[in-house]
Amino acid sequence: MNFELTKEQQMLKEMVRDFAEKEIKPYAQELDETSEFRHETFKKMAELGLMGIPFPEEYGGVGGDTISYAIAVEEIGKACGGTGLSYAAAISLGASPIYYFGTEEQKQEWLVPMAKGETLGSFGLTEPNAGSDAGGTRTKAVLDGDEYVINGEKCWITNAGYARQIIVTAVTGKREDGKNIVSAIIVPSDTPGVTISCNYDKMGVRGSNTCEIVLDNVRVPKENLLGDSKKGFSQFLFTLDGGRISIAALAVGIAQASLEKALQYAKERQQFGKSISKFQAIQFKLADMATEVELARTLVHKAAWLKDQGKPFGKEAAMAKLFASETSFRAANQAIQIHGGYGYMREYDVERYLRDAKLLEIGEGTSEIQRLVIARHLGC
């Protein structure tokens, strides 16, 4: 086993870290206060090729691997959780399904502009009554001649307000056993009948665009069907497996930021005649944080490596997402504790880390769902 990053991966890590320090971190607090999506940041990331890391050059990408992508998500998330979330969603949810399941025509039309960073995409799965129970999708798509007519509602959809198109999951029929057939359909966001509202007032990751989508008799060509109409459910489960790697990587980034902030403060803060980093109570907190962050990162890289090798990675992705997201919340919580009263103040950042980290225990499958997924992989 070789845990070293390749030369290319190390160079990417340093490049993204430098970019994030200069172009993302200085705006993080402002974006948290204003809930604005900073489009300029994504334009600059596109110029560096970051929007197309895991996609082949023939589709406008840079031909990188999943580990490289996870490294980028971690470094961006370390600087700003909201920006990291939108970056991760743009690639793992907006673009990846078209890369894995799209026709050549769909890839040229929709994937290439996303990989080049010219456009953003979005993935409309969650509904008011279909969160963890994604199979309970109520949005319906009925084939009328050469068009699908779509009616339904989606909620908490990342990047939808800036997306050129939304991949919408919808019920398109019934299976022989009576269960719904859920398909994925590419819907251009400017299609008549599509209403996108971005008015959520969120606890954290406020720099990420989150929207509600209403589809009222929306008509799209039947050619916009993504992949196999009868395998839409398994397609988005595969998509979520990949997305869990990126959410786990984002969690590692926030946890690492919490650790670094806490360590820096502990060395500077003087109490009882010495820095609080000299007290065993603080040392143990920092030691636990550092250990969990390292474990979480290793889980992320293992899941990413398995995906790159074409091996089953669903269990490992769920493990990485579960452990990293809960590590992120614990690390941010301990960072606040180490900061004491200052940690409760916005100017010290760590309270924002806690608010951002909480979403990661919910989105892309709650911690409870991750435990179910892992248990099923174990044969329970």
Side-chain angles (χ1 to χ4, degrees):
M1 289 184 287
N2 183 359
F3 290 97
E4 284 187 327
L5 298 179
T6 65
K7 182 180 178 181
E8 292 76 15
Q9 289 166 347
Q10 187 61 42
M11 287 173 62
L12 175 76
K13 184 180 182 75
E14 292 168 5
M15 183 265 285
V16 179
R17 178 176 293 177
D18 183 60
F19 171 80
E21 279 289 322
K22 293 176 181 176
E23 298 289 345
I24 298 177
K25 190 175 181 180
Y27 302 98
Q29 188 168 343
E30 177 188 345
L31 297 182
D32 180 63
E33 292 172 358
T34 62
S35 283
E36 291 183 2
F37 177 86
R38 194 166 188 274
H39 210 256
E40 304 93 291
T41 299
F42 283 78
K43 290 180 181 178
K44 291 178 179 179
M45 287 196 286
E47 292 170 5
L48 293 174
L50 300 183
M51 303 306 294
I53 287 179
F55 306 117
E57 293 180 22
E58 63 185 289
Y59 295 121
V62 298
D65 55 15
T66 310
I67 293 176
S68 297
Y69 165 56
I71 290 169
V73 173
E74 178 184 337
E75 292 299 331
I76 293 168
K78 179 182 163 188
C80 174
T83 303
L85 179 64
S86 275
Y87 172 71
I91 295 176
S92 67
L93 299 181
S96 289
I98 296 176
Y99 172 62
Y100 287 114
F101 307 113
T103 63
E104 186 62 28
E105 291 75 15
Q106 289 171 341
K107 290 176 184 177
Q108 294 297 332
E109 174 70 19
W110 306 106
L111 175 61
V112 171
M114 285 189 285
K116 289 181 177 179
E118 298 169 354
T119 64
L120 288 174
S122 194
F123 189 72
L125 171 63
T126 305
E127 298 182 4
N129 292 297
S132 294
D133 180 17
T137 295
R138 293 186 180 179
T139 296
K140 287 184 169 57
V142 179
L143 196 57
D144 180 22
D146 292 333
E147 294 180 318
Y148 278 107
V149 181
I150 309 171
N151 285 280
E153 182 180 353
K154 302 291 181 178
C155 60
W156 307 321
I157 307 304
T158 306
N159 295 341
Y162 294 85
R164 179 188 173 209
Q165 77 287 334
I166 303 152
I167 300 170
V168 172
T169 55
V171 177
T172 54
K174 291 279 188 182
R175 299 190 328 201
E176 291 180 1
D177 61 5
K179 292 185 178 180
N180 288 333
I181 296 173
V182 180
S183 306
I185 302 169
I186 302 170
V187 178
S189 54
D190 61 356
T191 306
V194 175
T195 304
I196 301 173
S197 306
C198 310
N199 301 315
Y200 291 121
D201 190 8
K202 298 178 294 184
M203 171 181 171
V205 290
R206 292 167 61 84
S208 177
N209 176 249
T210 312
C211 307
E212 176 187 39
I213 303 168
V214 176
L215 304 115
D216 183 15
N217 288 321
V218 173
R219 287 180 171 270
V220 297
K222 66 179 182 181
E223 289 78 19
N224 284 25
L225 179 73
L226 184 60
D228 189 325
S229 64
K230 296 182 180 180
K231 294 182 179 178
F233 195 80
S234 61
Q235 286 174 189
F236 71 65
L237 289 180
F238 180 86
T239 298
L240 291 178
D241 283 342
R244 283 163 184 163
I245 294 175
S246 58
I247 293 297
L250 173 58
V252 173
I254 295 174
Q256 182 68 42
S258 298
L259 171 61
E260 291 179 9
K261 275 279 188 180
L263 180 59
Q264 177 188 5
Y265 181 83
K267 288 179 177 179
E268 295 172 354
R269 175 68 167 167
Q270 296 280 325
Q271 290 288 274
F272 306 103
K274 55 185 176 181
S275 70
I276 63 172
S277 66
K278 299 300 181 183
F279 292 104
Q280 192 178 70
I282 303 300
Q283 291 174 347
F284 280 13
K285 289 182 186 296
L286 292 166
D288 287 345
M289 290 164 71
T291 300
E292 290 197 4
V293 170
E294 187 66 23
L295 283 168
R297 182 178 294 113
T298 302
L299 273 172
V300 171
H301 288 187
K302 180 182 179 183
W305 179 85
L306 287 169
K307 186 172 187 286
D308 286 332
Q309 300 301 313
K311 298 176 183 290
F313 66 96
K315 179 184 70 174
E316 288 76 11
M319 287 177 168
K321 199 270 186 187
L322 170 65
F323 186 75
S325 62
E326 296 192 348
T327 289
S328 186
F329 188 81
R330 283 192 296 267
N333 195 33
Q334 289 289 30
I336 293 172
Q337 193 69 20
I338 290 170
H339 277 73
Y342 292 106
Y344 208 67
M345 302 296 120
R346 290 204 168 190
E347 65 185 285
Y348 280 80
D349 290 336
V350 287
E351 62 84 33
R352 169 165 53 84
Y353 297 159
L354 185 77
R355 289 186 287 108
D356 288 352
K358 186 60 202 174
L359 183 275
L360 308 183
E361 294 181 315
I362 300 170
E364 292 262 7
T366 63
S367 289
E368 291 75 17
I369 289 294
Q370 303 311 314
R371 288 181 166 91
L372 280 174
V373 170
I374 295 165
R376 286 171 184 168
H377 278 286
L378 295 176
C380 296

